[in-house]
Amino acid sequence: QKEVEQNSGPLSVPEGAIASLNCTYSDRGSQSFFWYRQYSGKSPELIMFIYSNGDKEDGRFTAQLNKASQYVSLLIRDSQPSDSATYLCAVNSLGSGGYQKVTFGTGTKLQVIP
Amino acid sequence: SAVISQKPSRDICQRGTSLTIQCQVDSQVTMMFWYRQQPGQSLTLIATANQGSEATYESGFVIDKFPISRPNLTFSTLTVSNMSPEDSSIYLCSVEGRGQDYEQYFGPGTRLTVT
């Protein structure tokens, strides 16, 4: 079982709609959960993180966390063509040597259609 | 968040050679991380570099192939040794944020092509 699972997409939504991106994780000890946006040819950019069950809102973005179900989601309201990118879900866990590390999912490609 | 730069931004190298990638941060950070992103894939952690100690490598990565230096709190290098075409990838360094939530911020990446 992969540590962090995402649907690879592409997820196509019309401009102005809500895009819903989902992620599941396997490590119940994980404490922090992240959403990164990666444009083609660019490095990942952190857009949201969440560590408590429930919702966290930041502008057009809402992250949702359900630790009991080991499920994280990202909602993008009023989707814009500029939101078209790959969205990476990431989760912290204990790495080699006892350091905290971040494990990334394979990403969901979002296409916002004008 | 910290400003992170990497050199070179891209390179084309012949198999059997080595390339050293530099990562510079504009503020002091304890932990630096090196990732690989192969074409169409997600990010895979190569190693964690803590200043003043040996780098800690993830499963599947070894020091002989990917030696790392961390001479101070703002700089690190990753060397890709004895390269083969399978090493063609984007190599990214990252640093942790100032909070306690383990978030990471990435440099622009180095695109390596091995012929």
Side-chain angles (χ1 to χ4, degrees), chain A residues 59 98 108 112:
Chain A
T108 298
V112 181

Side-chain angles (χ1 to χ4, degrees), chain A residues 28-76:
Chain A
R28 286 194 171 274
S30 296
Q31 300 168 328
S32 299
F33 308 85
F34 312 95
W35 284 100
Y36 285 82
R37 178 175 61 198
Q38 187 173 27
Y39 292 113
S40 181
K42 301 294 186 182
S43 62
E45 172 193 10
L46 180 66
I47 54 173
M48 295 254 345
F49 68 88
I50 186 169
Y51 51 83
S52 298
N53 275 327
D55 296 359
K56 179 181 179 182
E57 186 174 320
D58 184 359
R60 295 187 296 113
F61 299 99
T62 299
Q64 299 175 319
L65 174 61
N66 184 326
K67 289 186 178 180
S69 301
Q70 295 175 252
Y71 179 89
V72 193
S73 64
L74 178 70
L75 301 178
I76 306 175

Side-chain angles (χ1 to χ4, degrees), chain A:
Chain A
Q1 182 187 7
K2 292 182 181 177
E3 293 182 55
V4 181
E5 293 209 44
Q6 296 180 255
N7 188 317
S8 61
L11 172 67
S12 295
V13 299
E15 183 174 355
I18 296 175
S20 178
L21 304 162
N22 305 312
C23 170
T24 58
Y25 62 94
S26 61
D27 185 353
R28 286 194 171 274
S30 296
Q31 300 168 328
S32 299
F33 308 85
F34 312 95
W35 284 100
Y36 285 82
R37 178 175 61 198
Q38 187 173 27
Y39 292 113
S40 181
K42 301 294 186 182
S43 62
E45 172 193 10
L46 180 66
I47 54 173
M48 295 254 345
F49 68 88
I50 186 169
Y51 51 83
S52 298
N53 275 327
D55 296 359
K56 179 181 179 182
E57 186 174 320
D58 184 359
R60 295 187 296 113
F61 299 99
T62 299
Q64 299 175 319
L65 174 61
N66 184 326
K67 289 186 178 180
S69 301
Q70 295 175 252
Y71 179 89
V72 193
S73 64
L74 178 70
L75 301 178
I76 306 175
R77 290 181 299 280
D78 188 23
S79 295
Q80 301 297 308
S82 59
D83 295 325
S84 298
T86 296
Y87 289 80
L88 302 170
C89 174
V91 176
N92 88 295
S93 60
L94 200 61
S96 304
Y99 296 119
Q100 288 289 331
K101 71 171 186 176
V102 174
T103 300
F104 287 81
T106 53
T108 298
K109 187 172 183 179
L110 174 66
Q111 295 176 340
V112 181
I113 312 300

Side-chain angles (χ1 to χ4, degrees), chain A residues 31-32 34 36 38 41-46 49 51 88 92 95-97 99-107, chain B residues 31 33 35 37 41-43 45 48 50 53 56-59 92 96 101-109 111:
Chain A
Q31 300 168 328
S32 299
F34 312 95
Y36 285 82
Q38 187 173 27
K42 301 294 186 182
S43 62
E45 172 193 10
L46 180 66
F49 68 88
Y51 51 83
L88 302 170
N92 88 295
S96 304
Y99 296 119
Q100 288 289 331
K101 71 171 186 176
V102 174
T103 300
F104 287 81
T106 53
Chain B
M31 308 291 286
F33 305 86
Y35 288 83
Q37 188 173 29
Q41 305 288 319
S42 189
L43 286 80
L45 180 64
T48 300
N50 191 0
S53 63
T56 301
Y57 289 83
E58 295 298 307
S59 176
L92 296 136
E96 278 188 342
D101 300 300
Y102 311 115
E103 75 274 18
Q104 292 184 17
Y105 298 93
F106 285 85
R111 183 179 294 271

